[in-house]
Amino acid sequence: YLSENSDGLLEKTDSKKSITFSNIKLDSLGFSSLILPPSRQSLSQLYSSLPWRHQAKSDEDAIVLTHFHYKLALPFTLLLAFFGPAPFILSFSRNLPIFYIFSFSLLIFISFFMLLESCLILAESGVIYPPLAIWLPFSLFFAIAINKFRKVI
Protein backbone atom coordinates (compact mmCIF):
# COMPACT_ATOMS: atom_id res chain seq x y z
CA TYR A 1 0.00 0.00 0.00
CA LEU A 2 1.06 3.58 -0.53
CA SER A 3 0.51 6.43 1.88
CA GLU A 4 1.48 10.06 1.95
CA ASN A 5 4.22 11.06 4.39
CA SER A 6 4.64 14.41 6.15
CA ASP A 7 6.61 15.85 3.20
CA GLY A 8 3.72 15.11 0.81
CA LEU A 9 5.51 12.24 -0.92
CA LEU A 10 4.09 8.76 -1.46
CA GLU A 11 5.91 5.96 0.27
CA LYS A 12 5.35 2.24 0.51
CA THR A 13 3.86 1.23 3.85
CA ASP A 14 2.79 -2.37 3.31
CA SER A 15 3.06 -5.03 0.60
CA LYS A 16 1.68 -8.50 0.02
CA LYS A 17 3.05 -11.31 -2.08
CA SER A 18 -0.32 -12.03 -3.73
CA ILE A 19 -3.91 -10.85 -3.35
CA THR A 20 -7.02 -12.65 -4.62
CA PHE A 21 -9.85 -10.41 -5.73
CA SER A 22 -12.75 -12.82 -5.39
CA ASN A 23 -15.52 -10.19 -5.39
CA ILE A 24 -14.62 -8.82 -8.85
CA LYS A 25 -16.51 -10.57 -11.63
CA LEU A 26 -15.20 -10.06 -15.16
CA ASP A 27 -17.19 -10.98 -18.20
CA SER A 28 -14.68 -12.58 -20.54
CA LEU A 29 -16.44 -11.35 -23.70
CA GLY A 30 -16.85 -7.82 -22.38
CA PHE A 31 -13.26 -7.76 -21.18
CA SER A 32 -11.92 -8.74 -24.60
CA SER A 33 -13.94 -5.98 -26.20
CA LEU A 34 -12.14 -3.50 -23.96
CA ILE A 35 -8.77 -4.81 -25.10
CA LEU A 36 -9.48 -5.28 -28.82
CA PRO A 37 -10.83 -2.43 -30.94
CA PRO A 38 -13.97 -3.28 -32.97
CA SER A 39 -11.94 -3.50 -36.17
CA ARG A 40 -10.03 -6.49 -34.69
CA GLN A 41 -13.00 -8.28 -33.09
CA SER A 42 -14.72 -11.26 -34.64
CA LEU A 43 -18.20 -11.06 -36.09
CA SER A 44 -19.70 -12.96 -33.15
CA GLN A 45 -18.05 -10.61 -30.63
CA LEU A 46 -19.39 -7.61 -32.53
CA TYR A 47 -22.85 -9.17 -32.69
CA SER A 48 -22.92 -9.67 -28.93
CA SER A 49 -22.00 -6.03 -28.33
CA LEU A 50 -24.44 -4.49 -30.84
CA PRO A 51 -26.58 -1.66 -29.50
CA TRP A 52 -30.28 -2.21 -28.84
CA ARG A 53 -32.32 -2.13 -32.09
CA HIS A 54 -29.18 -1.10 -33.99
CA GLN A 55 -29.57 2.50 -32.84
CA ALA A 56 -26.18 4.11 -32.30
CA LYS A 57 -26.57 6.41 -29.32
CA SER A 58 -22.84 6.99 -28.78
CA ASP A 59 -19.64 7.01 -30.80
CA GLU A 60 -18.73 3.55 -29.50
CA ASP A 61 -22.10 2.17 -30.64
CA ALA A 62 -21.60 3.69 -34.09
CA ILE A 63 -18.15 2.16 -34.39
CA VAL A 64 -19.35 -1.31 -33.30
CA LEU A 65 -22.36 -1.16 -35.63
CA THR A 66 -20.20 0.05 -38.52
CA HIS A 67 -17.62 -2.70 -38.18
CA PHE A 68 -20.31 -5.35 -37.76
CA HIS A 69 -21.92 -4.43 -41.08
CA TYR A 70 -18.52 -3.93 -42.72
CA LYS A 71 -17.41 -7.45 -41.80
CA LEU A 72 -20.80 -8.82 -42.80
CA ALA A 73 -20.66 -7.17 -46.24
CA LEU A 74 -17.00 -7.71 -47.11
CA PRO A 75 -17.39 -11.26 -48.54
CA PHE A 76 -19.74 -9.85 -51.18
CA THR A 77 -16.78 -8.14 -52.84
CA LEU A 78 -15.95 -11.50 -54.42
CA LEU A 79 -19.27 -11.45 -56.24
CA LEU A 80 -18.60 -7.89 -57.31
CA ALA A 81 -15.19 -8.90 -58.60
CA PHE A 82 -16.90 -11.55 -60.74
CA PHE A 83 -19.92 -9.58 -61.97
CA GLY A 84 -17.98 -6.37 -62.62
CA PRO A 85 -15.76 -7.40 -65.54
CA ALA A 86 -17.96 -10.29 -66.73
CA PRO A 87 -20.13 -8.25 -69.16
CA PHE A 88 -17.03 -6.95 -70.95
CA ILE A 89 -15.41 -10.37 -71.14
CA LEU A 90 -18.59 -12.06 -72.42
CA SER A 91 -18.96 -9.69 -75.36
CA PHE A 92 -17.98 -11.31 -78.65
CA SER A 93 -15.59 -9.45 -80.93
CA ARG A 94 -12.44 -10.10 -82.90
CA ASN A 95 -10.56 -7.27 -81.25
CA LEU A 96 -11.09 -7.99 -77.56
CA PRO A 97 -8.93 -5.40 -75.76
CA ILE A 98 -7.93 -7.52 -72.77
CA PHE A 99 -5.54 -4.93 -71.34
CA TYR A 100 -8.24 -2.24 -71.34
CA ILE A 101 -10.77 -4.58 -69.75
CA PHE A 102 -8.26 -5.54 -67.05
CA SER A 103 -7.19 -1.96 -66.32
CA PHE A 104 -10.78 -0.67 -66.33
CA SER A 105 -11.87 -3.46 -63.97
CA LEU A 106 -8.97 -2.71 -61.66
CA LEU A 107 -9.81 1.00 -61.69
CA ILE A 108 -13.47 0.28 -60.86
CA PHE A 109 -12.48 -2.12 -58.07
CA ILE A 110 -10.09 0.44 -56.54
CA SER A 111 -12.74 3.17 -56.74
CA PHE A 112 -15.20 0.82 -55.03
CA PHE A 113 -12.83 0.29 -52.13
CA MET A 114 -12.13 4.01 -51.88
CA LEU A 115 -15.87 4.70 -51.69
CA LEU A 116 -16.31 1.90 -49.15
CA GLU A 117 -13.49 3.22 -46.94
CA SER A 118 -14.83 6.78 -47.07
CA CYS A 119 -18.29 5.50 -46.10
CA LEU A 120 -16.68 3.50 -43.29
CA ILE A 121 -15.07 6.68 -41.92
CA LEU A 122 -18.33 8.62 -42.20
CA ALA A 123 -20.23 5.84 -40.44
CA GLU A 124 -17.67 5.53 -37.64
CA SER A 125 -17.91 9.24 -36.93
CA GLY A 126 -21.71 9.07 -36.91
CA VAL A 127 -22.32 11.30 -39.92
CA ILE A 128 -24.23 8.58 -41.82
CA TYR A 129 -26.31 5.75 -40.36
CA PRO A 130 -23.81 2.81 -40.31
CA PRO A 131 -25.81 0.10 -42.14
CA LEU A 132 -26.74 2.58 -44.86
CA ALA A 133 -23.15 3.77 -45.23
CA ILE A 134 -21.75 0.26 -45.58
CA TRP A 135 -24.40 -1.25 -47.84
CA LEU A 136 -24.77 1.80 -50.13
CA PRO A 137 -21.53 1.22 -52.14
CA PHE A 138 -22.40 -2.47 -52.50
CA SER A 139 -25.91 -1.67 -53.69
CA LEU A 140 -24.70 0.97 -56.13
CA PHE A 141 -21.96 -1.13 -57.72
CA PHE A 142 -24.08 -4.31 -57.79
CA ALA A 143 -26.91 -2.43 -59.51
CA ILE A 144 -24.54 -1.12 -62.17
CA ALA A 145 -22.88 -4.52 -62.66
CA ILE A 146 -26.13 -6.50 -62.82
CA ASN A 147 -27.69 -3.96 -65.21
CA LYS A 148 -24.68 -4.21 -67.54
CA PHE A 149 -24.69 -8.00 -67.16
CA ARG A 150 -28.38 -8.19 -68.17
CA LYS A 151 -27.73 -6.14 -71.32
CA VAL A 152 -25.02 -8.54 -72.49
CA ILE A 153 -27.03 -11.70 -71.85
Side-chain angles (χ1 to χ4, degrees), residues 29-58:
L29 190 60
F31 188 67
S32 68
S33 68
L34 293 174
I35 295 172
L36 292 175
S39 61
R40 302 282 310 265
Q41 292 180 10
S42 68
L43 201 56
S44 59
Q45 287 174 328
L46 288 171
Y47 181 75
S48 66
S49 60
L50 281 177
W52 175 251
R53 292 189 178 182
H54 297 266
Q55 297 297 322
K57 297 194 181 349
S58 66

PDB file of all heavy atoms in Angstrom, residues 29-58:
ATOM      1  N   LEU A  29     -16.153 -11.956 -22.405  1.00  0.00           N
ATOM      2  CA  LEU A  29     -16.441 -11.348 -23.699  1.00  0.00           C
ATOM      3  C   LEU A  29     -16.375  -9.830 -23.611  1.00  0.00           C
ATOM      4  O   LEU A  29     -15.825  -9.167 -24.484  1.00  0.00           O
ATOM      5  CB  LEU A  29     -17.824 -11.786 -24.193  1.00  0.00           C
ATOM      6  CG  LEU A  29     -18.186 -11.430 -25.621  1.00  0.00           C
ATOM      7  CD1 LEU A  29     -17.194 -12.061 -26.585  1.00  0.00           C
ATOM      8  CD2 LEU A  29     -19.575 -11.900 -25.940  1.00  0.00           C
ATOM      9  N   GLY A  30     -16.902  -9.271 -22.554  1.00  0.00           N
ATOM     10  CA  GLY A  30     -16.845  -7.819 -22.383  1.00  0.00           C
ATOM     11  C   GLY A  30     -15.432  -7.339 -22.135  1.00  0.00           C
ATOM     12  O   GLY A  30     -15.050  -6.260 -22.571  1.00  0.00           O
ATOM     13  N   PHE A  31     -14.635  -8.132 -21.448  1.00  0.00           N
ATOM     14  CA  PHE A  31     -13.257  -7.761 -21.176  1.00  0.00           C
ATOM     15  C   PHE A  31     -12.431  -7.757 -22.454  1.00  0.00           C
ATOM     16  O   PHE A  31     -11.595  -6.890 -22.662  1.00  0.00           O
ATOM     17  CB  PHE A  31     -12.668  -8.712 -20.138  1.00  0.00           C
ATOM     18  CG  PHE A  31     -11.323  -8.298 -19.641  1.00  0.00           C
ATOM     19  CD1 PHE A  31     -11.188  -7.141 -18.893  1.00  0.00           C
ATOM     20  CD2 PHE A  31     -10.206  -9.049 -19.919  1.00  0.00           C
ATOM     21  CE1 PHE A  31      -9.951  -6.739 -18.425  1.00  0.00           C
ATOM     22  CE2 PHE A  31      -8.968  -8.662 -19.451  1.00  0.00           C
ATOM     23  CZ  PHE A  31      -8.839  -7.512 -18.705  1.00  0.00           C
ATOM     24  N   SER A  32     -12.674  -8.712 -23.341  1.00  0.00           N
ATOM     25  CA  SER A  32     -11.922  -8.737 -24.596  1.00  0.00           C
ATOM     26  C   SER A  32     -12.316  -7.586 -25.501  1.00  0.00           C
ATOM     27  O   SER A  32     -11.510  -7.111 -26.287  1.00  0.00           O
ATOM     28  CB  SER A  32     -12.128 -10.068 -25.314  1.00  0.00           C
ATOM     29  OG  SER A  32     -13.463 -10.177 -25.757  1.00  0.00           O
ATOM     30  N   SER A  33     -13.547  -7.119 -25.382  1.00  0.00           N
ATOM     31  CA  SER A  33     -13.940  -5.977 -26.201  1.00  0.00           C
ATOM     32  C   SER A  33     -13.290  -4.692 -25.720  1.00  0.00           C
ATOM     33  O   SER A  33     -13.179  -3.735 -26.466  1.00  0.00           O
ATOM     34  CB  SER A  33     -15.463  -5.826 -26.214  1.00  0.00           C
ATOM     35  OG  SER A  33     -15.921  -5.445 -24.943  1.00  0.00           O
ATOM     36  N   LEU A  34     -12.876  -4.660 -24.455  1.00  0.00           N
ATOM     37  CA  LEU A  34     -12.139  -3.501 -23.964  1.00  0.00           C
ATOM     38  C   LEU A  34     -10.703  -3.516 -24.487  1.00  0.00           C
ATOM     39  O   LEU A  34     -10.111  -2.466 -24.697  1.00  0.00           O
ATOM     40  CB  LEU A  34     -12.126  -3.487 -22.432  1.00  0.00           C
ATOM     41  CG  LEU A  34     -13.457  -3.250 -21.746  1.00  0.00           C
ATOM     42  CD1 LEU A  34     -13.294  -3.409 -20.242  1.00  0.00           C
ATOM     43  CD2 LEU A  34     -13.989  -1.879 -22.075  1.00  0.00           C
ATOM     44  N   ILE A  35     -10.152  -4.694 -24.662  1.00  0.00           N
ATOM     45  CA  ILE A  35      -8.771  -4.808 -25.104  1.00  0.00           C
ATOM     46  C   ILE A  35      -8.670  -4.630 -26.618  1.00  0.00           C
ATOM     47  O   ILE A  35      -7.833  -3.885 -27.106  1.00  0.00           O
ATOM     48  CB  ILE A  35      -8.189  -6.170 -24.679  1.00  0.00           C
ATOM     49  CG1 ILE A  35      -8.132  -6.244 -23.162  1.00  0.00           C
ATOM     50  CG2 ILE A  35      -6.814  -6.386 -25.270  1.00  0.00           C
ATOM     51  CD1 ILE A  35      -7.761  -7.600 -22.627  1.00  0.00           C
ATOM     52  N   LEU A  36      -9.520  -5.327 -27.362  1.00  0.00           N
ATOM     53  CA  LEU A  36      -9.477  -5.278 -28.819  1.00  0.00           C
ATOM     54  C   LEU A  36     -10.394  -4.186 -29.356  1.00  0.00           C
ATOM     55  O   LEU A  36     -11.541  -4.085 -28.943  1.00  0.00           O
ATOM     56  CB  LEU A  36      -9.927  -6.612 -29.415  1.00  0.00           C
ATOM     57  CG  LEU A  36      -9.026  -7.808 -29.209  1.00  0.00           C
ATOM     58  CD1 LEU A  36      -9.689  -9.055 -29.753  1.00  0.00           C
ATOM     59  CD2 LEU A  36      -7.705  -7.588 -29.895  1.00  0.00           C
ATOM     60  N   PRO A  37      -9.921  -3.393 -30.303  1.00  0.00           N
ATOM     61  CA  PRO A  37     -10.835  -2.433 -30.941  1.00  0.00           C
ATOM     62  C   PRO A  37     -11.831  -3.181 -31.830  1.00  0.00           C
ATOM     63  O   PRO A  37     -11.576  -4.318 -32.238  1.00  0.00           O
ATOM     64  CB  PRO A  37      -9.899  -1.551 -31.765  1.00  0.00           C
ATOM     65  CG  PRO A  37      -8.681  -2.369 -31.978  1.00  0.00           C
ATOM     66  CD  PRO A  37      -8.565  -3.281 -30.800  1.00  0.00           C
ATOM     67  N   PRO A  38     -12.964  -2.583 -32.151  1.00  0.00           N
ATOM     68  CA  PRO A  38     -13.971  -3.283 -32.973  1.00  0.00           C
ATOM     69  C   PRO A  38     -13.457  -3.740 -34.330  1.00  0.00           C
ATOM     70  O   PRO A  38     -13.947  -4.716 -34.881  1.00  0.00           O
ATOM     71  CB  PRO A  38     -15.079  -2.246 -33.130  1.00  0.00           C
ATOM     72  CG  PRO A  38     -14.941  -1.370 -31.951  1.00  0.00           C
ATOM     73  CD  PRO A  38     -13.473  -1.317 -31.649  1.00  0.00           C
ATOM     74  N   SER A  39     -12.467  -3.072 -34.874  1.00  0.00           N
ATOM     75  CA  SER A  39     -11.941  -3.505 -36.169  1.00  0.00           C
ATOM     76  C   SER A  39     -11.200  -4.833 -36.077  1.00  0.00           C
ATOM     77  O   SER A  39     -11.049  -5.521 -37.078  1.00  0.00           O
ATOM     78  CB  SER A  39     -11.011  -2.435 -36.735  1.00  0.00           C
ATOM     79  OG  SER A  39      -9.920  -2.237 -35.862  1.00  0.00           O
ATOM     80  N   ARG A  40     -10.764  -5.237 -34.881  1.00  0.00           N
ATOM     81  CA  ARG A  40     -10.030  -6.488 -34.692  1.00  0.00           C
ATOM     82  C   ARG A  40     -10.889  -7.588 -34.083  1.00  0.00           C
ATOM     83  O   ARG A  40     -10.422  -8.705 -33.914  1.00  0.00           O
ATOM     84  CB  ARG A  40      -8.828  -6.242 -33.775  1.00  0.00           C
ATOM     85  CG  ARG A  40      -7.840  -5.195 -34.228  1.00  0.00           C
ATOM     86  CD  ARG A  40      -6.912  -5.673 -35.312  1.00  0.00           C
ATOM     87  NE  ARG A  40      -6.273  -6.918 -35.018  1.00  0.00           N
ATOM     88  CZ  ARG A  40      -5.074  -7.065 -34.486  1.00  0.00           C
ATOM     89  NH1 ARG A  40      -4.373  -6.018 -34.183  1.00  0.00           N
ATOM     90  NH2 ARG A  40      -4.579  -8.253 -34.264  1.00  0.00           N
ATOM     91  N   GLN A  41     -12.133  -7.283 -33.712  1.00  0.00           N
ATOM     92  CA  GLN A  41     -13.001  -8.284 -33.092  1.00  0.00           C
ATOM     93  C   GLN A  41     -13.648  -9.162 -34.148  1.00  0.00           C
ATOM     94  O   GLN A  41     -13.810  -8.764 -35.295  1.00  0.00           O
ATOM     95  CB  GLN A  41     -14.087  -7.603 -32.262  1.00  0.00           C
ATOM     96  CG  GLN A  41     -13.559  -6.910 -31.038  1.00  0.00           C
ATOM     97  CD  GLN A  41     -14.659  -6.247 -30.251  1.00  0.00           C
ATOM     98  OE1 GLN A  41     -15.834  -6.461 -30.518  1.00  0.00           O
ATOM     99  NE2 GLN A  41     -14.283  -5.426 -29.289  1.00  0.00           N
ATOM    100  N   SER A  42     -14.038 -10.352 -33.720  1.00  0.00           N
ATOM    101  CA  SER A  42     -14.720 -11.259 -34.639  1.00  0.00           C
ATOM    102  C   SER A  42     -16.171 -10.818 -34.813  1.00  0.00           C
ATOM    103  O   SER A  42     -16.685  -9.992 -34.068  1.00  0.00           O
ATOM    104  CB  SER A  42     -14.672 -12.692 -34.104  1.00  0.00           C
ATOM    105  OG  SER A  42     -15.463 -12.793 -32.942  1.00  0.00           O
ATOM    106  N   LEU A  43     -16.810 -11.408 -35.802  1.00  0.00           N
ATOM    107  CA  LEU A  43     -18.201 -11.061 -36.088  1.00  0.00           C
ATOM    108  C   LEU A  43     -19.118 -11.437 -34.932  1.00  0.00           C
ATOM    109  O   LEU A  43     -20.049 -10.703 -34.610  1.00  0.00           O
ATOM    110  CB  LEU A  43     -18.633 -11.767 -37.377  1.00  0.00           C
ATOM    111  CG  LEU A  43     -19.815 -11.212 -38.138  1.00  0.00           C
ATOM    112  CD1 LEU A  43     -19.611  -9.746 -38.484  1.00  0.00           C
ATOM    113  CD2 LEU A  43     -20.048 -11.997 -39.394  1.00  0.00           C
ATOM    114  N   SER A  44     -18.861 -12.555 -34.282  1.00  0.00           N
ATOM    115  CA  SER A  44     -19.696 -12.955 -33.147  1.00  0.00           C
ATOM    116  C   SER A  44     -19.496 -12.037 -31.942  1.00  0.00           C
ATOM    117  O   SER A  44     -20.454 -11.746 -31.226  1.00  0.00           O
ATOM    118  CB  SER A  44     -19.412 -14.405 -32.765  1.00  0.00           C
ATOM    119  OG  SER A  44     -18.061 -14.567 -32.426  1.00  0.00           O
ATOM    120  N   GLN A  45     -18.280 -11.569 -31.711  1.00  0.00           N
ATOM    121  CA  GLN A  45     -18.052 -10.607 -30.633  1.00  0.00           C
ATOM    122  C   GLN A  45     -18.753  -9.291 -30.913  1.00  0.00           C
ATOM    123  O   GLN A  45     -19.333  -8.680 -30.018  1.00  0.00           O
ATOM    124  CB  GLN A  45     -16.557 -10.351 -30.436  1.00  0.00           C
ATOM    125  CG  GLN A  45     -15.814 -11.480 -29.788  1.00  0.00           C
ATOM    126  CD  GLN A  45     -14.325 -11.210 -29.750  1.00  0.00           C
ATOM    127  OE1 GLN A  45     -13.778 -10.559 -30.632  1.00  0.00           O
ATOM    128  NE2 GLN A  45     -13.674 -11.728 -28.722  1.00  0.00           N
ATOM    129  N   LEU A  46     -18.702  -8.846 -32.161  1.00  0.00           N
ATOM    130  CA  LEU A  46     -19.389  -7.609 -32.529  1.00  0.00           C
ATOM    131  C   LEU A  46     -20.899  -7.763 -32.400  1.00  0.00           C
ATOM    132  O   LEU A  46     -21.585  -6.841 -31.964  1.00  0.00           O
ATOM    133  CB  LEU A  46     -19.018  -7.196 -33.949  1.00  0.00           C
ATOM    134  CG  LEU A  46     -17.605  -6.671 -34.145  1.00  0.00           C
ATOM    135  CD1 LEU A  46     -17.310  -6.502 -35.619  1.00  0.00           C
ATOM    136  CD2 LEU A  46     -17.409  -5.376 -33.406  1.00  0.00           C
ATOM    137  N   TYR A  47     -21.417  -8.932 -32.786  1.00  0.00           N
ATOM    138  CA  TYR A  47     -22.854  -9.168 -32.687  1.00  0.00           C
ATOM    139  C   TYR A  47     -23.332  -9.119 -31.244  1.00  0.00           C
ATOM    140  O   TYR A  47     -24.397  -8.595 -30.945  1.00  0.00           O
ATOM    141  CB  TYR A  47     -23.213 -10.515 -33.325  1.00  0.00           C
ATOM    142  CG  TYR A  47     -24.690 -10.815 -33.286  1.00  0.00           C
ATOM    143  CD1 TYR A  47     -25.560 -10.160 -34.142  1.00  0.00           C
ATOM    144  CD2 TYR A  47     -25.202 -11.733 -32.382  1.00  0.00           C
ATOM    145  CE1 TYR A  47     -26.917 -10.427 -34.102  1.00  0.00           C
ATOM    146  CE2 TYR A  47     -26.554 -12.004 -32.335  1.00  0.00           C
ATOM    147  CZ  TYR A  47     -27.409 -11.344 -33.201  1.00  0.00           C
ATOM    148  OH  TYR A  47     -28.749 -11.593 -33.148  1.00  0.00           O
ATOM    149  N   SER A  48     -22.519  -9.674 -30.334  1.00  0.00           N
ATOM    150  CA  SER A  48     -22.922  -9.673 -28.925  1.00  0.00           C
ATOM    151  C   SER A  48     -22.852  -8.280 -28.301  1.00  0.00           C
ATOM    152  O   SER A  48     -23.495  -8.035 -27.290  1.00  0.00           O
ATOM    153  CB  SER A  48     -22.057 -10.643 -28.132  1.00  0.00           C
ATOM    154  OG  SER A  48     -20.729 -10.188 -28.104  1.00  0.00           O
ATOM    155  N   SER A  49     -22.095  -7.381 -28.887  1.00  0.00           N
ATOM    156  CA  SER A  49     -22.000  -6.027 -28.329  1.00  0.00           C
ATOM    157  C   SER A  49     -22.736  -4.992 -29.164  1.00  0.00           C
ATOM    158  O   SER A  49     -22.500  -3.795 -29.004  1.00  0.00           O
ATOM    159  CB  SER A  49     -20.532  -5.635 -28.176  1.00  0.00           C
ATOM    160  OG  SER A  49     -19.880  -5.660 -29.410  1.00  0.00           O
ATOM    161  N   LEU A  50     -23.652  -5.445 -30.042  1.00  0.00           N
ATOM    162  CA  LEU A  50     -24.440  -4.493 -30.843  1.00  0.00           C
ATOM    163  C   LEU A  50     -25.386  -3.701 -29.951  1.00  0.00           C
ATOM    164  O   LEU A  50     -25.923  -4.231 -28.979  1.00  0.00           O
ATOM    165  CB  LEU A  50     -25.263  -5.229 -31.896  1.00  0.00           C
ATOM    166  CG  LEU A  50     -24.540  -5.671 -33.154  1.00  0.00           C
ATOM    167  CD1 LEU A  50     -25.488  -6.455 -34.048  1.00  0.00           C
ATOM    168  CD2 LEU A  50     -23.966  -4.516 -33.901  1.00  0.00           C
ATOM    169  N   PRO A  51     -25.618  -2.442 -30.295  1.00  0.00           N
ATOM    170  CA  PRO A  51     -26.579  -1.656 -29.503  1.00  0.00           C
ATOM    171  C   PRO A  51     -28.006  -2.143 -29.734  1.00  0.00           C
ATOM    172  O   PRO A  51     -28.318  -2.791 -30.731  1.00  0.00           O
ATOM    173  CB  PRO A  51     -26.386  -0.225 -30.010  1.00  0.00           C
ATOM    174  CG  PRO A  51     -25.729  -0.363 -31.332  1.00  0.00           C
ATOM    175  CD  PRO A  51     -24.973  -1.640 -31.327  1.00  0.00           C
ATOM    176  N   TRP A  52     -28.867  -1.808 -28.799  1.00  0.00           N
ATOM    177  CA  TRP A  52     -30.275  -2.206 -28.844  1.00  0.00           C
ATOM    178  C   TRP A  52     -30.936  -1.632 -30.086  1.00  0.00           C
ATOM    179  O   TRP A  52     -30.844  -0.446 -30.359  1.00  0.00           O
ATOM    180  CB  TRP A  52     -30.977  -1.718 -27.584  1.00  0.00           C
ATOM    181  CG  TRP A  52     -32.435  -1.962 -27.562  1.00  0.00           C
ATOM    182  CD1 TRP A  52     -33.404  -1.020 -27.684  1.00  0.00           C
ATOM    183  CD2 TRP A  52     -33.114  -3.197 -27.407  1.00  0.00           C
ATOM    184  NE1 TRP A  52     -34.631  -1.587 -27.625  1.00  0.00           N
ATOM    185  CE2 TRP A  52     -34.484  -2.944 -27.455  1.00  0.00           C
ATOM    186  CE3 TRP A  52     -32.685  -4.509 -27.247  1.00  0.00           C
ATOM    187  CZ2 TRP A  52     -35.443  -3.945 -27.330  1.00  0.00           C
ATOM    188  CZ3 TRP A  52     -33.633  -5.496 -27.137  1.00  0.00           C
ATOM    189  CH2 TRP A  52     -34.989  -5.201 -27.173  1.00  0.00           C
ATOM    190  N   ARG A  53     -31.599  -2.485 -30.853  1.00  0.00           N
ATOM    191  CA  ARG A  53     -32.321  -2.130 -32.086  1.00  0.00           C
ATOM    192  C   ARG A  53     -31.432  -1.413 -33.105  1.00  0.00           C
ATOM    193  O   ARG A  53     -31.904  -0.604 -33.887  1.00  0.00           O
ATOM    194  CB  ARG A  53     -33.536  -1.270 -31.769  1.00  0.00           C
ATOM    195  CG  ARG A  53     -34.607  -2.011 -31.042  1.00  0.00           C
ATOM    196  CD  ARG A  53     -35.844  -1.183 -30.965  1.00  0.00           C
ATOM    197  NE  ARG A  53     -36.891  -1.929 -30.306  1.00  0.00           N
ATOM    198  CZ  ARG A  53     -38.090  -1.474 -30.129  1.00  0.00           C
ATOM    199  NH1 ARG A  53     -38.407  -0.278 -30.550  1.00  0.00           N
ATOM    200  NH2 ARG A  53     -38.992  -2.214 -29.534  1.00  0.00           N
ATOM    201  N   HIS A  54     -30.151  -1.669 -33.040  1.00  0.00           N
ATOM    202  CA  HIS A  54     -29.183  -1.104 -33.988  1.00  0.00           C
ATOM    203  C   HIS A  54     -29.236   0.423 -34.038  1.00  0.00           C
ATOM    204  O   HIS A  54     -28.976   1.019 -35.071  1.00  0.00           O
ATOM    205  CB  HIS A  54     -29.378  -1.688 -35.384  1.00  0.00           C
ATOM    206  CG  HIS A  54     -29.134  -3.153 -35.430  1.00  0.00           C
ATOM    207  ND1 HIS A  54     -27.930  -3.682 -35.773  1.00  0.00           N
ATOM    208  CD2 HIS A  54     -29.936  -4.213 -35.136  1.00  0.00           C
ATOM    209  CE1 HIS A  54     -27.999  -4.997 -35.720  1.00  0.00           C
ATOM    210  NE2 HIS A  54     -29.192  -5.351 -35.333  1.00  0.00           N
ATOM    211  N   GLN A  55     -29.562   1.042 -32.928  1.00  0.00           N
ATOM    212  CA  GLN A  55     -29.575   2.498 -32.841  1.00  0.00           C
ATOM    213  C   GLN A  55     -28.297   2.943 -32.144  1.00  0.00           C
ATOM    214  O   GLN A  55     -28.091   2.653 -30.981  1.00  0.00           O
ATOM    215  CB  GLN A  55     -30.796   2.995 -32.057  1.00  0.00           C
ATOM    216  CG  GLN A  55     -32.114   2.650 -32.700  1.00  0.00           C
ATOM    217  CD  GLN A  55     -32.284   3.309 -34.043  1.00  0.00           C
ATOM    218  OE1 GLN A  55     -31.893   4.457 -34.250  1.00  0.00           O
ATOM    219  NE2 GLN A  55     -32.864   2.582 -34.986  1.00  0.00           N
ATOM    220  N   ALA A  56     -27.446   3.657 -32.858  1.00  0.00           N
ATOM    221  CA  ALA A  56     -26.178   4.114 -32.301  1.00  0.00           C
ATOM    222  C   ALA A  56     -26.419   5.390 -31.503  1.00  0.00           C
ATOM    223  O   ALA A  56     -26.670   6.445 -32.058  1.00  0.00           O
ATOM    224  CB  ALA A  56     -25.176   4.365 -33.418  1.00  0.00           C
ATOM    225  N   LYS A  57     -26.352   5.266 -30.189  1.00  0.00           N
ATOM    226  CA  LYS A  57     -26.570   6.412 -29.321  1.00  0.00           C
ATOM    227  C   LYS A  57     -25.268   7.080 -28.894  1.00  0.00           C
ATOM    228  O   LYS A  57     -25.272   8.167 -28.371  1.00  0.00           O
ATOM    229  CB  LYS A  57     -27.359   5.987 -28.089  1.00  0.00           C
ATOM    230  CG  LYS A  57     -28.745   5.483 -28.418  1.00  0.00           C
ATOM    231  CD  LYS A  57     -29.588   5.413 -27.176  1.00  0.00           C
ATOM    232  CE  LYS A  57     -30.973   4.919 -27.365  1.00  0.00           C
ATOM    233  NZ  LYS A  57     -31.539   4.746 -28.610  1.00  0.00           N
ATOM    234  N   SER A  58     -24.140   6.417 -29.120  1.00  0.00           N
ATOM    235  CA  SER A  58     -22.844   6.989 -28.777  1.00  0.00           C
ATOM    236  C   SER A  58     -21.851   6.691 -29.900  1.00  0.00           C
ATOM    237  O   SER A  58     -22.155   5.939 -30.833  1.00  0.00           O
ATOM    238  CB  SER A  58     -22.342   6.418 -27.447  1.00  0.00           C
ATOM    239  OG  SER A  58     -22.071   5.042 -27.586  1.00  0.00           O
TER     240      SER A  58
END
